[in-house]
Amino acid sequence: MYSKSKELFNKSSKLFPGGVNSPVRAFKSVGSSPIFFKKSQGAYLYDVDGNEYIDYVGSWGPMICGHGHSKVIEAIQQVAEKGISFGACHEYEIHLAEIITKLMPNIEMLRFVNSGTEACMAVARLARAYTKRPKILKFNGCYHGHFDSFLVQAGSGVATMSLPDSPGVPSELAELTLTANYNNLEEVEKCFEQNPNSIAAIMVEPVVGNSGCLLPQNGFLEGLRNICNKYGALLIFDEVMTGFRVAKGGAQERFNVSPDLTTLGKIVGGGLPVGAYGGKKEIMEMIAPSGPVYQAGTLSGNPLGMVAGATTLNLIQEEGFYENLELYGEKLETGIKQIMIDKEVPVTINRCGAMLSVFFTDQKEVYNFPTAKTSDTNRFAKFFNELLKNGIYLPPSQFEAWFFSSIHSKNEIEKTLNAIEAAQF
Ligand code: KE4
């Protein structure tokens, strides 16, 4: 069933650490060997052994319009014939920026980079420069890319492999990163009281995806906004995952809370390597060359990424796009809930729009990293491998979110629920 993937994994294991180019792809926490894919289309992936899967990873979020959308491919082809990379100004970057600032009016000015990590690195430096304060507060289990300052109590692959806070990050630097539990405003307030005038910003995944999916409890995001106002810190929404997924205007639109700075990635590039950061003009103008805060990138604003992103962000503006995601997200969530009740398997399901997680725990509410960690990761691994065998490709970690696209519809949801029904885990 997976012989060609196994053969290729033998080769890749000699070339890349762990045989992969990003740790979560290694299937380590689910105890199997990674699948090698050769084709994707719509809601489906096809592996090198000819197996077909309904895809709930979507390249970790970007493919919200499904794989290989004809309009995105056409747009990339047309631009590629004119130029792949100029390393200079061009109008494609303006087109994408104009869409972003329209959909997220809190972003008055922005800068393109090549990944979510780069965007998060840049806003940390910018926030420290703007406030002249050294510390940043993040939340346990949140992941903001592999930037040194954020590899403290991080989620995603760090949590999946229960790696200690990564070696190689000097303690002097790690000490400048404060952590609190998500959904706990008292802990946040306490951090500010114990670190007067030294916290530059709060960095938060407004809806967490990297502990598995966690939703903000009522008043939490507003509370962070008020605390930042009270202590003169910046509020930074890391919307690399939630941007354009949980709403057309991201979490800041869905929950009506205005951050000072926002980071973007994934969907914003339509599957090509694009990240962005932006926010209040007054803050962003500190970035070189208009200001002294340096940040640069050879391929920033690459024309192919710009046009793939712009085409994708035009597609998500089509009538009924998010209503459709909500309709099928609801069907999937309630369908899984019912199956687990029938199977007497204790799970808690968290969903926000087209991102969800199924926590294998009898914890009635999973609202922060400690409660997420009560999950039975062995049972999740069994579940993952059973579904994989039945043609359903989930993120290979209990501490990741499932993503589905506008192309996942009745047929895919039914097939998924049937596979869960038939699975033994
Ligand atoms: P990238 O550098 O991977 O483009 O973005 C980092 C990042 C920043 N912020 C948030 C909220 C993120 O979710 C991410 C990256 N997400 C992971 C999956 N949880 C990417 C997958 C991977 O690491 O291979």
Side-chain angles (χ1 to χ4, degrees):
M1 187 155 181
Y2 306 125
S3 55
K4 286 217 178 76
S5 277
K6 285 201 168 77
E7 202 183 297
L8 290 172
F9 188 50
N10 281 335
K11 278 189 189 164
S12 68
S13 299
K14 297 183 183 73
L15 292 162
F16 315 119
V20 294
N21 282 298
S22 199
V24 277
R25 303 178 189 174
F27 281 36
K28 260 198 151 166
S29 71
V30 292
S32 38
S33 160
I35 303 289
F36 281 66
F37 294 102
K38 67 178 178 191
K39 187 177 178 327
S40 61
Q41 188 55 49
Y44 292 85
L45 290 173
Y46 303 88
D47 74 15
V48 292
D49 291 290
N51 302 306
E52 176 188 86
Y53 305 86
I54 299 175
D55 179 18
Y56 285 97
V57 177
S59 183
W60 299 97
M63 313 319 286
I64 196 164
C65 298
H67 288 286
H69 196 290
S70 55
K71 287 190 175 162
V72 177
I73 290 182
E74 226 169 84
I76 295 171
Q77 282 168 333
Q78 281 167 12
V79 171
E81 279 157 20
K82 294 187 193 129
I84 291 177
S85 178
F86 305 121
C89 303
H90 54 82
E91 64 178 313
Y92 304 111
E93 54 200 357
I94 295 172
H95 295 163
L96 179 54
E98 285 177 337
I99 300 171
I100 293 169
T101 51
K102 182 185 85 171
L103 296 180
M104 292 187 169
N106 292 313
I107 298 180
E108 297 170 350
M109 183 174 271
L110 64 121
R111 167 68 61 85
F112 286 116
V113 291
N114 299 286
S115 69
T117 295
E118 270 191 270
C120 293
M121 283 168 68
V123 289
R125 182 178 310 139
L126 176 58
R128 285 169 163 155
Y130 181 77
T131 61
K132 297 186 180 56
R133 297 176 179 179
K135 293 178 184 171
I136 291 185
L137 191 155
K138 74 176 284 291
F139 293 92
N140 298 330
C142 283
Y143 177 73
H144 306 292
H146 61 84
F147 172 46
D148 282 355
S149 290
F150 291 134
L151 284 182
V152 174
Q153 294 291 314
S156 185
V158 185
T160 301
M161 277 156 273
S162 39
L163 290 172
D165 299 329
S166 173
V169 178
S171 55
E172 298 79 0
L173 183 58
E175 279 153 22
L176 297 177
T177 302
L178 307 173
T179 60
N181 278 310
Y182 185 73
N183 276 321
N184 191 321
L185 289 172
E186 293 68 46
E187 285 186 9
V188 174
E189 186 83 41
K190 211 159 131 208
C191 274
F192 277 86
E193 283 159 9
Q194 291 170 348
N195 297 275
N197 303 317
S198 61
I199 301 178
I202 293 176
M203 181 79 161
V204 65
E205 291 182 58
V207 174
V208 179
N210 290 294
S211 304
C213 182
L214 307 174
L215 280 90
Q217 289 170 340
N218 281 345
F220 176 63
L221 296 177
E222 294 81 351
L224 296 182
R225 179 67 274 172
N226 296 336
I227 289 172
C228 284
N229 294 345
K230 179 177 169 186
Y231 292 98
L234 298 183
L235 179 59
I236 305 174
F237 273 11
D238 178 353
E239 294 228 41
V240 166
M241 194 184 276
T242 55
F244 318 111
R245 176 162 288 279
V246 300
K248 193 161 43 180
Q252 53 200 271
E253 177 194 87
R254 188 175 181 118
F255 296 98
N256 193 25
V257 173
S258 301
D260 300 299
L261 292 170
T262 299
T263 54
L264 298 171
K266 297 179 191 282
I267 293 172
V268 80
L272 295 193
V274 176
Y277 64 99
K280 288 188 177 133
K281 191 163 177 291
E282 180 212 349
I283 303 173
M284 286 303 292
E285 285 189 327
M286 285 198 73
I287 293 287
S290 53
V293 181
Y294 199 70
Q295 180 272 314
T298 304
L299 295 172
S300 296
N302 173 273
L304 305 187
M306 297 296 101
V307 78
T311 310
T312 300
L313 294 195
N314 283 327
L315 289 167
I316 67 167
Q317 295 181 68
E318 285 175 0
E319 193 60 38
F321 187 87
Y322 288 91
E323 290 73 10
N324 179 57
L325 288 176
E326 191 50 43
L327 172 72
Y328 288 107
E330 172 68 22
K331 284 181 186 305
L332 184 63
E333 178 186 356
T334 45
I336 297 172
K337 258 187 198 136
Q338 191 51 57
I339 293 168
M340 297 301 186
I341 291 168
D342 299 346
K343 284 179 177 281
E344 294 179 354
V345 174
V347 296
T348 295
I349 301 177
N350 288 346
R351 180 176 68 86
C352 186
M355 61 188 273
L356 71 99
S357 289
V358 179
F359 292 96
F360 284 81
T361 177
D362 52 12
Q363 180 86 25
K364 286 283 159 276
E365 257 201 273
V366 176
Y367 57 91
N368 63 15
F369 194 41
T371 49
K373 281 200 291 187
T374 64
S375 302
D376 178 345
T377 51
N378 293 327
R379 191 160 209 182
F380 173 82
K382 272 196 215 127
F383 178 68
F384 172 87
N385 286 299
E386 272 287 295
L387 264 65
L388 191 72
K389 226 170 50 191
N390 291 291
I392 309 297
Y393 184 64
L394 301 180
S397 161
Q398 172 68 87
F399 305 115
E400 292 288 357
W402 306 15
F403 299 116
F404 54 92
S405 77
S406 57
I407 308 285
H408 286 69
S409 54
K410 191 166 176 296
N411 186 29
E412 285 67 44
I413 303 306
E414 272 172 16
K415 275 188 195 170
T416 304
L417 295 176
N418 292 340
I420 296 174
E421 181 84 67
Q424 302 295 320
F425 49 87

